[in-house]
Amino acid sequence: MEEAVRYTLKTLIRQALNSYEVELKGLREVESRLPWMCTYTLEWILYCKQMEINYFSGQHDVTLQLQLLATNLHELLQNPGPNSNLITLTLHMLHLTRELQAHQITSVLDYEWQTVIRYYFEDDVVMRSLGGQFEWGGEYQGVWQVMVNTKDIRRAYATVLGGLNWGLGVVMQGPSGTGKTETLKELARSMARFCLVFNCSSLVSTRLLQKLLAGLCYTGSWICLDELNRL
């Protein structure tokens, strides 16, 4: 069942790309038939492709990309209710593009572009960041409220993915209630991975942790050990 769901979601993205790029159907028309997680992934695939073709491989003029994003945003704002997630996502892409322009980033190898989680479709959906390549999980996520993306969140994403690329875990430190757990959950959802949040306490036994970690290894899911210091 799980493999059938993953295959279906990846097939939907492949068909959507074909409808948009080959059959030249409107993007909103294509996305109207997709679950949200496929729409999210499709938006990032198209954005990364457009940036690398129109900006990095061209005259390094970001005007065309900014105009495209502004037009998309204006269209979405005509009906903001059902498009709130797309509005947040488009605003993030708009601000990211302006930041790259302000820092005069002209190469795909520049650090600022490398830290962005970049989506590509190469027979399958893959994500790249800081020299690492990650498989799109294909775990059905339903609809979630997209977080407002900031420089600090992108820095946290880059740190987590850097650790994953080296096969390491990551400890996120900071004051309580600042969004550490939600940031990790958002990253997992954006990569189509299931993330289990486990609230640690002094009552947790080693046997329980053994069973928990064995299940995670079997499924390939992520785990967030909240309040780890309580163990």
Side-chain angles (χ1 to χ4, degrees), residues 217-229:
C217 292
Y218 179 76
T219 60
S221 303
W222 291 8
I223 185 170
C224 173
L225 296 173
D226 208 8
E227 306 295 343
L228 181 61
N229 55 299

PDB file of all heavy atoms in Angstrom, residues 217-229:
ATOM      1  N   CYS A 217      13.827   2.667  11.859  1.00  0.00           N
ATOM      2  CA  CYS A 217      14.767   2.107  10.875  1.00  0.00           C
ATOM      3  C   CYS A 217      14.034   1.288   9.821  1.00  0.00           C
ATOM      4  O   CYS A 217      14.400   1.286   8.642  1.00  0.00           O
ATOM      5  CB  CYS A 217      15.798   1.226  11.583  1.00  0.00           C
ATOM      6  SG  CYS A 217      16.937   2.137  12.656  1.00  0.00           S
ATOM      7  N   TYR A 218      12.986   0.606  10.245  1.00  0.00           N
ATOM      8  CA  TYR A 218      12.222  -0.231   9.318  1.00  0.00           C
ATOM      9  C   TYR A 218      11.441   0.613   8.315  1.00  0.00           C
ATOM     10  O   TYR A 218      11.338   0.262   7.136  1.00  0.00           O
ATOM     11  CB  TYR A 218      11.267  -1.115  10.108  1.00  0.00           C
ATOM     12  CG  TYR A 218      10.395  -2.008   9.249  1.00  0.00           C
ATOM     13  CD1 TYR A 218      10.914  -3.155   8.649  1.00  0.00           C
ATOM     14  CD2 TYR A 218       9.059  -1.698   9.023  1.00  0.00           C
ATOM     15  CE1 TYR A 218      10.127  -3.975   7.859  1.00  0.00           C
ATOM     16  CE2 TYR A 218       8.259  -2.508   8.229  1.00  0.00           C
ATOM     17  CZ  TYR A 218       8.800  -3.631   7.648  1.00  0.00           C
ATOM     18  OH  TYR A 218       8.021  -4.437   6.856  1.00  0.00           O
ATOM     19  N   THR A 219      10.891   1.744   8.775  1.00  0.00           N
ATOM     20  CA  THR A 219      10.051   2.580   7.909  1.00  0.00           C
ATOM     21  C   THR A 219      10.815   3.695   7.211  1.00  0.00           C
ATOM     22  O   THR A 219      10.322   4.261   6.237  1.00  0.00           O
ATOM     23  CB  THR A 219       8.921   3.220   8.730  1.00  0.00           C
ATOM     24  OG1 THR A 219       9.490   4.047   9.772  1.00  0.00           O
ATOM     25  CG2 THR A 219       8.048   2.150   9.369  1.00  0.00           C
ATOM     26  N   GLY A 220      12.004   4.042   7.712  1.00  0.00           N
ATOM     27  CA  GLY A 220      12.749   5.154   7.119  1.00  0.00           C
ATOM     28  C   GLY A 220      12.227   6.508   7.519  1.00  0.00           C
ATOM     29  O   GLY A 220      12.517   7.517   6.857  1.00  0.00           O
ATOM     30  N   SER A 221      11.463   6.552   8.602  1.00  0.00           N
ATOM     31  CA  SER A 221      10.893   7.821   9.056  1.00  0.00           C
ATOM     32  C   SER A 221      11.906   8.611   9.877  1.00  0.00           C
ATOM     33  O   SER A 221      12.947   8.094  10.288  1.00  0.00           O
ATOM     34  CB  SER A 221       9.641   7.567   9.892  1.00  0.00           C
ATOM     35  OG  SER A 221       8.682   6.835   9.168  1.00  0.00           O
ATOM     36  N   TRP A 222      11.578   9.882  10.154  1.00  0.00           N
ATOM     37  CA  TRP A 222      12.381  10.725  11.023  1.00  0.00           C
ATOM     38  C   TRP A 222      11.784  10.712  12.423  1.00  0.00           C
ATOM     39  O   TRP A 222      10.605  10.421  12.604  1.00  0.00           O
ATOM     40  CB  TRP A 222      12.394  12.167  10.520  1.00  0.00           C
ATOM     41  CG  TRP A 222      13.129  12.385   9.246  1.00  0.00           C
ATOM     42  CD1 TRP A 222      13.648  11.435   8.419  1.00  0.00           C
ATOM     43  CD2 TRP A 222      13.434  13.641   8.655  1.00  0.00           C
ATOM     44  NE1 TRP A 222      14.256  12.022   7.343  1.00  0.00           N
ATOM     45  CE2 TRP A 222      14.138  13.383   7.457  1.00  0.00           C
ATOM     46  CE3 TRP A 222      13.184  14.961   8.998  1.00  0.00           C
ATOM     47  CZ2 TRP A 222      14.586  14.396   6.615  1.00  0.00           C
ATOM     48  CZ3 TRP A 222      13.628  15.973   8.175  1.00  0.00           C
ATOM     49  CH2 TRP A 222      14.331  15.693   6.991  1.00  0.00           C
ATOM     50  N   ILE A 223      12.613  11.051  13.414  1.00  0.00           N
ATOM     51  CA  ILE A 223      12.106  11.209  14.767  1.00  0.00           C
ATOM     52  C   ILE A 223      12.671  12.491  15.357  1.00  0.00           C
ATOM     53  O   ILE A 223      13.837  12.844  15.134  1.00  0.00           O
ATOM     54  CB  ILE A 223      12.484   9.996  15.666  1.00  0.00           C
ATOM     55  CG1 ILE A 223      11.837  10.150  17.041  1.00  0.00           C
ATOM     56  CG2 ILE A 223      13.982   9.832  15.779  1.00  0.00           C
ATOM     57  CD1 ILE A 223      11.930   8.922  17.907  1.00  0.00           C
ATOM     58  N   CYS A 224      11.839  13.193  16.076  1.00  0.00           N
ATOM     59  CA  CYS A 224      12.245  14.394  16.792  1.00  0.00           C
ATOM     60  C   CYS A 224      12.092  14.093  18.279  1.00  0.00           C
ATOM     61  O   CYS A 224      10.962  13.951  18.777  1.00  0.00           O
ATOM     62  CB  CYS A 224      11.386  15.590  16.387  1.00  0.00           C
ATOM     63  SG  CYS A 224      11.700  17.088  17.374  1.00  0.00           S
ATOM     64  N   LEU A 225      13.191  13.966  18.975  1.00  0.00           N
ATOM     65  CA  LEU A 225      13.162  13.688  20.411  1.00  0.00           C
ATOM     66  C   LEU A 225      13.042  15.013  21.154  1.00  0.00           C
ATOM     67  O   LEU A 225      14.033  15.682  21.449  1.00  0.00           O
ATOM     68  CB  LEU A 225      14.442  12.926  20.820  1.00  0.00           C
ATOM     69  CG  LEU A 225      14.609  11.538  20.202  1.00  0.00           C
ATOM     70  CD1 LEU A 225      15.970  10.957  20.537  1.00  0.00           C
ATOM     71  CD2 LEU A 225      13.507  10.591  20.655  1.00  0.00           C
ATOM     72  N   ASP A 226      11.807  15.376  21.427  1.00  0.00           N
ATOM     73  CA  ASP A 226      11.540  16.655  22.100  1.00  0.00           C
ATOM     74  C   ASP A 226      11.917  16.557  23.577  1.00  0.00           C
ATOM     75  O   ASP A 226      11.663  15.547  24.222  1.00  0.00           O
ATOM     76  CB  ASP A 226      10.056  16.998  21.952  1.00  0.00           C
ATOM     77  CG  ASP A 226       9.809  18.499  21.984  1.00  0.00           C
ATOM     78  OD1 ASP A 226      10.786  19.256  21.967  1.00  0.00           O
ATOM     79  OD2 ASP A 226       8.634  18.899  22.023  1.00  0.00           O
ATOM     80  N   GLU A 227      12.514  17.653  24.092  1.00  0.00           N
ATOM     81  CA  GLU A 227      12.975  17.689  25.487  1.00  0.00           C
ATOM     82  C   GLU A 227      13.918  16.513  25.779  1.00  0.00           C
ATOM     83  O   GLU A 227      13.757  15.771  26.751  1.00  0.00           O
ATOM     84  CB  GLU A 227      11.778  17.654  26.449  1.00  0.00           C
ATOM     85  CG  GLU A 227      10.736  18.733  26.208  1.00  0.00           C
ATOM     86  CD  GLU A 227      11.272  20.131  26.467  1.00  0.00           C
ATOM     87  OE1 GLU A 227      12.337  20.252  27.134  1.00  0.00           O
ATOM     88  OE2 GLU A 227      10.626  21.100  26.023  1.00  0.00           O
ATOM     89  N   LEU A 228      14.912  16.350  24.915  1.00  0.00           N
ATOM     90  CA  LEU A 228      15.849  15.224  25.022  1.00  0.00           C
ATOM     91  C   LEU A 228      16.576  15.217  26.366  1.00  0.00           C
ATOM     92  O   LEU A 228      16.949  14.160  26.873  1.00  0.00           O
ATOM     93  CB  LEU A 228      16.858  15.302  23.862  1.00  0.00           C
ATOM     94  CG  LEU A 228      17.914  14.219  23.775  1.00  0.00           C
ATOM     95  CD1 LEU A 228      17.281  12.855  23.593  1.00  0.00           C
ATOM     96  CD2 LEU A 228      18.887  14.513  22.639  1.00  0.00           C
ATOM     97  N   ASN A 229      16.795  16.403  26.937  1.00  0.00           N
ATOM     98  CA  ASN A 229      17.550  16.514  28.204  1.00  0.00           C
ATOM     99  C   ASN A 229      16.829  15.835  29.375  1.00  0.00           C
ATOM    100  O   ASN A 229      17.424  15.618  30.426  1.00  0.00           O
ATOM    101  CB  ASN A 229      17.795  17.973  28.541  1.00  0.00           C
ATOM    102  CG  ASN A 229      16.506  18.781  28.589  1.00  0.00           C
ATOM    103  OD1 ASN A 229      15.805  18.886  27.585  1.00  0.00           O
ATOM    104  ND2 ASN A 229      16.191  19.345  29.742  1.00  0.00           N
TER     105      ASN A 229
END
